[in-house]
Amino acid sequence: MSEEPSLLAADSAGGHNSILLLFICLIGVIVIFTLIGILGSGVSKRTGRRKTRADWLGGIALLSVCATIALYIWGALHVMFMENYNMLEECTRAGGAAKAAQVDRYEAHYLPLRFTCHLDEGGSYDAALPGYVNPAMAIAFVLAIATGAVSVVARDQDRSTSPTATRGR
């Protein structure tokens, strides 16, 4: 290898600071617990009445947001805390020993999550991140957006057709 790679993937040429990313992960954990608390309090308030379609869709949207954040944190932690020997090991596992011997630097990307092994003669390949993280995160994000939007539309329809809304006219 021509130059010594950085000690943490997050301190690589991508310019991401591992302390900042760790702070973002901490905020993400707090957001997850807050959203689960909101969901739980919403469920407990509505024990006396029947759940509407909007209530169910809103709950699914909140859980999907939690899943998206959790998957991001999981993938970021895989990349963020790798030490030098782990990086080379991951590059070896992904590309084989011959390719790993040509790796001259590492790079972490955090949107989308990716750990890249760069070869000294040009080219690169991805390693270290479980293959399910980015696709699962994308599916959870799309599900959160879709169910959240449908929940808002359903809630507006429920309000416009409820007896209390028509009684006041």
Side-chain angles (χ1 to χ4, degrees):
M1 291 196 277
S2 61
E3 60 183 68
E4 183 65 27
S6 65
L7 292 178
L8 292 175
D11 293 331
S12 68
H16 295 90
N17 186 336
S18 59
I19 300 296
L20 177 63
L21 191 63
L22 189 60
F23 181 70
I24 290 170
C25 289
L26 177 65
I27 298 275
V29 169
I30 292 169
V31 168
I32 289 172
F33 282 114
T34 302
L35 291 177
I36 290 173
I38 289 170
L39 182 63
S41 70
V43 168
S44 67
K45 284 181 187 176
R46 293 180 178 90
T47 55
R49 73 174 176 92
R50 187 169 171 254
K51 308 281 187 288
T52 64
R53 180 179 54 163
D55 293 336
W56 285 105
L57 290 170
I60 292 170
L62 282 176
L63 288 175
S64 298
V65 169
C66 290
T68 302
I69 294 169
L71 284 164
Y72 184 84
I73 291 169
W74 178 249
L77 290 175
H78 268 85
V79 173
M80 189 170 51
F81 287 116
M82 284 197 294
E83 294 180 10
N84 217 9
Y85 66 91
N86 293 72
M87 291 178 189
L88 185 57
E89 184 180 308
E90 290 297 330
C91 289
T92 303
R93 189 176 306 152
K99 268 189 176 180
Q102 298 174 4
V103 170
D104 68 344
R105 65 186 170 95
Y106 311 109
E107 188 174 16
H109 300 271
Y110 293 100
L111 201 57
L113 286 169
R114 193 173 66 221
F115 177 78
T116 306
C117 305
H118 290 275
L119 303 174
D120 54 6
E121 54 191 42
S124 64
Y125 60 98
D126 293 337
L129 191 67
Y132 63 86
V133 172
N134 283 322
M137 192 170 45
I139 290 169
F141 181 73
V142 168
L143 182 64
I145 297 296
T147 55
V150 173
S151 171
V152 169
V153 170
R155 188 162 284 129
D156 288 344
Q157 287 177 349
D158 289 345
R159 285 183 184 153
S160 66
T161 60
S162 71
T164 58
T166 56
R167 201 180 321 153
R169 291 183 187 168

